[in-house]
Amino acid sequence: MSRTIFDSPWLRPVLRPLSRGVLRLLGWQLHGELSPQAERCVVIAAPHTSNWDFPFTLLAAFGLGMRIRWLGKAALFRPPFGWLMRWLGGIPVHRERANNLIAASVLALKESEGPLQLVVAPEGTRSRAAQWKAGFHHIARGAGLPIQLSYLDWGTHSCGLGPLVEPTEDVEGDIARIRAFYAPLRGRNADQFDAG
């Protein structure tokens, strides 16, 4: 995998306190710490209802000392800003060719070295989604990694990390338990988030 801002030894020590300070100035509280068991994991990013979720997710990741990679639609990686999206940890997804996305993600996670948290939005869209996509669960199980719950709650202006979940063979049961954690949270566009 290509190097990102999260791998920059001269930026990492600066980004953590700076991001925490920016979040405080914006009236947000950051909660949690990445546990050693989550050094390599799949991270759920929810609620995802606005483009504003992206900069706040980056600030939270920097503030928590994470080394994230995230999946985004290929259109985000076109010139002139494609290089920036990749440097910020982005991996382009061609939705018309996404039939092997899970297998490719599992392989990339298995082949990568060192700390890595792959961020996935289970809603798959900023629009209201009654069903969550199970791809994050299949990726985590296939790579033998835990699922780290993370959140942006626009109702309380708090963000951070929730529990760490070990995926089981009961995909529907796991997703139901995970969605229960997100049920009280509010997205920026509250009517577009359905964790129930």
Side-chain angles (χ1 to χ4, degrees):
M1 288 189 185
S2 59
R3 293 185 65 78
T4 71
I5 190 172
F6 299 95
D7 303 314
S8 303
W10 56 275
L11 273 177
R12 280 184 61 80
V14 175
L15 285 173
R16 186 166 189 164
L18 180 64
S19 297
R20 287 175 173 258
V22 169
L23 284 168
R24 256 193 317 274
L25 281 173
L26 295 173
W28 282 70
Q29 296 178 355
L30 182 62
H31 301 283
E33 285 292 328
L34 192 69
S35 73
Q37 293 82 12
E39 184 178 81
R40 295 177 57 80
C41 65
V42 173
V43 179
I44 292 179
H48 180 41
T49 65
S50 164
N51 286 331
W52 282 103
D53 297 337
F54 178 67
F56 279 92
T57 297
L58 286 177
L59 285 170
F62 294 142
L64 292 165
M66 298 174 75
R67 292 189 174 193
I68 67 168
R69 298 299 301 261
W70 49 273
L71 305 174
K73 60 184 178 183
L76 292 172
F77 297 86
R78 293 185 186 137
F81 298 112
W83 68 272
L84 178 62
M85 294 293 114
R86 285 179 178 83
W87 192 55
L88 291 174
I91 302 169
V93 173
H94 298 273
R95 290 183 178 168
E96 68 280 1
R97 292 183 271 163
N99 58 340
N100 66 347
L101 177 62
I102 291 171
S105 298
V106 168
L107 183 62
L109 285 167
K110 285 183 173 180
E111 291 180 346
S112 66
E113 296 178 5
L116 174 66
Q117 298 89 42
L118 178 65
V119 177
V120 179
E123 298 152 281
T125 175
R126 290 183 311 274
S127 304
R128 188 175 184 88
Q131 293 289 329
W132 279 17
K133 297 179 183 291
F136 72 90
H137 192 280
H138 297 306
I139 292 169
R141 279 201 70 220
L145 298 175
I147 299 168
Q148 174 67 66
L149 309 190
S150 74
Y151 63 93
L152 289 174
D153 185 359
W154 288 85
T156 61
H157 284 134
S158 61
C159 56
L161 300 175
L164 194 64
V165 175
E166 290 292 339
T168 70
E169 293 181 13
D170 181 10
V171 179
E172 290 182 13
D174 287 352
I175 292 177
R177 286 185 291 278
I178 289 168
R179 286 180 70 149
F181 169 80
Y182 288 98
L185 306 181
R186 201 182 95 196
R188 187 167 192 271
N189 298 314
D191 61 328
Q192 293 177 302
F193 181 61
D194 181 7

